[in-house]
Amino acid sequence: MTERPQHAPFPCRGTPDGSADQLATQLIRLVRLVSRVKSRITKVGPEGLESAAYAILFHLIDKGPQRASHLAEVLHSDISTISRQSSTLVDHGLVERQADPEDGRASLLAVTQEGLRIFEANRRARNEWLEQVLSAWTDADRIALNSLLSQLNNHIETCGPLADRTGKGECT
């Protein structure tokens, strides 16, 4: 009879130890849970609109009109994917194409009033859900979570693969 290999305990079980393995497991779990929640609460808006298209909407609201090529770069997506998603946003009246003032041959994507309305409705739904999730948390715990997530995101953006085009950015 062959013995079965022993596996390490599942990293998210047990007492948190600060290991990268536990953190990775919890981040994967978080991303999956948020994705599931997003698919259930991002219902405000036209039928057939991919949830990924909301990332385009958010970026345009946050940063202003952009070229599709720039969106592809900052959203780490294929230009063909951005083109398809932005065309759907245009078709639904959530985004419009505008002439690029710096290059008349190019166009910028800009959010419409309807796009802003849909975005804000989804934002309210998301925030109501998060308020329920965090209702028992103290203000200090909420502040600590926001601070640590901000710190983690800043380091992800500036350390390793996202730090520079070579993917070998120095962590500080």
Side-chain angles (χ1 to χ4, degrees):
M1 176 187 279
T2 308
E3 276 192 45
R4 297 179 69 191
Q6 291 293 318
H7 296 285
F10 198 67
C12 69
R13 294 190 183 127
T15 305
D17 62 13
S19 70
D21 195 34
Q22 273 190 348
L23 178 60
T25 299
Q26 291 300 337
L27 287 173
I28 290 166
R29 184 174 170 218
L30 175 65
V31 168
R32 286 180 179 158
L33 288 168
V34 168
S35 179
R36 286 175 51 202
V37 168
K38 226 167 93 172
S39 70
R40 293 182 184 177
I41 65 173
T42 308
K43 296 296 183 194
V44 179
E47 283 296 314
L49 189 62
E50 294 178 53
S51 62
Y54 286 98
I56 295 173
L57 212 50
F58 171 80
H59 189 77
L60 294 174
I61 289 168
D62 188 47
K63 303 293 184 192
Q66 303 283 313
R67 287 186 182 187
S69 58
H70 185 260
L71 287 167
E73 184 178 322
V74 298
L75 296 175
H76 309 288
S77 191
D78 231 28
I79 186 69
S80 62
T81 301
I82 295 295
S83 184
R84 179 178 41 78
Q85 291 171 343
S86 60
S87 290
T88 302
L89 289 165
V90 168
D91 292 345
H92 287 298
L94 306 181
V95 167
E96 64 185 5
R97 295 186 200 290
Q98 300 174 343
D100 185 337
E102 294 177 13
D103 181 354
R105 300 167 295 170
S107 65
L108 299 176
L109 296 166
V111 174
T112 64
Q113 282 303 115
E114 180 63 3
L116 188 56
R117 186 189 71 75
I118 294 294
F119 176 82
E120 287 300 331
N122 279 294
R123 183 181 191 172
R124 274 191 302 281
R126 180 203 62 208
N127 288 346
E128 287 170 8
W129 165 71
L130 276 172
E131 282 297 332
Q132 290 174 351
V133 169
L134 299 174
S135 63
W137 289 44
T138 65
D139 286 345
D141 284 345
R142 287 176 177 221
I143 291 167
L145 177 63
N146 280 329
S147 176
L148 290 170
L149 284 174
S150 177
Q151 184 179 349
L152 176 63
N153 286 331
N154 290 340
H155 280 98
I156 288 171
E157 288 174 341
T158 61
C159 180
L162 298 182
D164 58 28
R165 298 237 183 250
T166 67
K168 298 176 183 161
E170 293 295 320
C171 299
T172 55

